[in-house]
Amino acid sequence: MSRPPRDFRLLEGTVIDHLPVGTAARALELLGLPRDGPITVGINVLSPRRGKKDIIRVEGLFLEKHELDRLALLGPDITVSIVHDGEVTEKTVLDVPERLIGILTCRNPTCVTNGESIQTVFLRLSGFPYRFQCAYCERVSGVGEVS
Ligand SMILES: [Zn+2]
């Protein structure tokens, strides 16, 4: 087997890897990308361990906690690597927290979080595919319905 190409080399920034196939565009949207820096996106990239994946490399971007929490919703086992001077200095496997605060929006039109400026709170009920329950109105939703 040939080695993967090294044409996406990143000097300073973030690699979002093991995105489920088909989620790269959604990930870019969630993160408000592109911004100023260069980005390379790989779609249907062969992964030696688990079939195909999407991957995004963003020069000059370091994600905040709330951005990581949103990204984690796209699938299990997404990894985020921080790169400095061309070397990975930190690698994290994303996990969806048990309580998501201010991340999701409740689709129940009569939910109190939609009428007032209250931060939403959702409890995660299951592993992937994730299901969430609004802590205010108790409505249960899949991730596509609330993010
Ligand atoms: Zn609600």
Side-chain angles (χ1 to χ4, degrees):
M1 231 169 85
S2 60
R3 290 170 64 84
R6 309 263 338 238
D7 53 336
F8 290 151
R9 192 143 171 87
L10 196 62
L11 282 178
E12 294 286 329
T14 300
V15 180
I16 304 161
D17 201 356
H18 301 292
L19 285 162
V21 163
T23 61
R26 181 79 182 119
L28 292 173
E29 188 186 330
L30 280 178
L31 299 173
L33 295 171
R35 298 179 200 165
D36 287 342
I39 299 173
T40 52
V41 178
I43 293 176
N44 293 337
V45 177
L46 274 177
S47 161
R49 282 186 297 144
R50 56 179 96 179
K52 291 181 179 176
K53 64 181 182 181
D54 287 358
I55 181 168
I56 301 174
R57 295 176 175 85
V58 192
E59 187 77 38
L61 177 79
F62 300 99
L63 297 171
E64 311 270 343
K65 170 86 167 84
H66 69 96
E67 293 175 309
L68 295 172
D69 285 348
R70 280 185 156 274
L71 261 189
L73 298 172
L74 296 177
D77 305 325
I78 294 167
T79 62
V80 171
S81 300
I82 307 297
V83 177
H84 289 295
D85 287 331
E87 302 292 334
V88 173
T89 58
E90 193 184 325
K91 188 169 184 171
T92 311
V93 180
L94 297 186
D95 194 21
V96 176
E98 306 256 312
R99 289 164 62 88
L100 282 160
I101 299 168
I103 300 281
L104 302 172
T105 305
C106 187
R107 290 282 172 93
N108 174 1
T110 62
C111 181
V112 66
T113 60
N114 286 317
E116 299 168 38
S117 53
I118 297 175
Q119 276 205 322
T120 59
V121 177
F122 280 86
L123 311 175
R124 180 166 62 80
L125 299 179
S126 68
F128 192 80
Y130 305 115
R131 307 224 21 108
F132 299 95
Q133 183 170 38
C134 176
Y136 290 94
C137 72
E138 300 189 338
R139 177 157 164 157
V140 174
S141 314
V143 68
E145 302 162 89
V146 285
S147 51

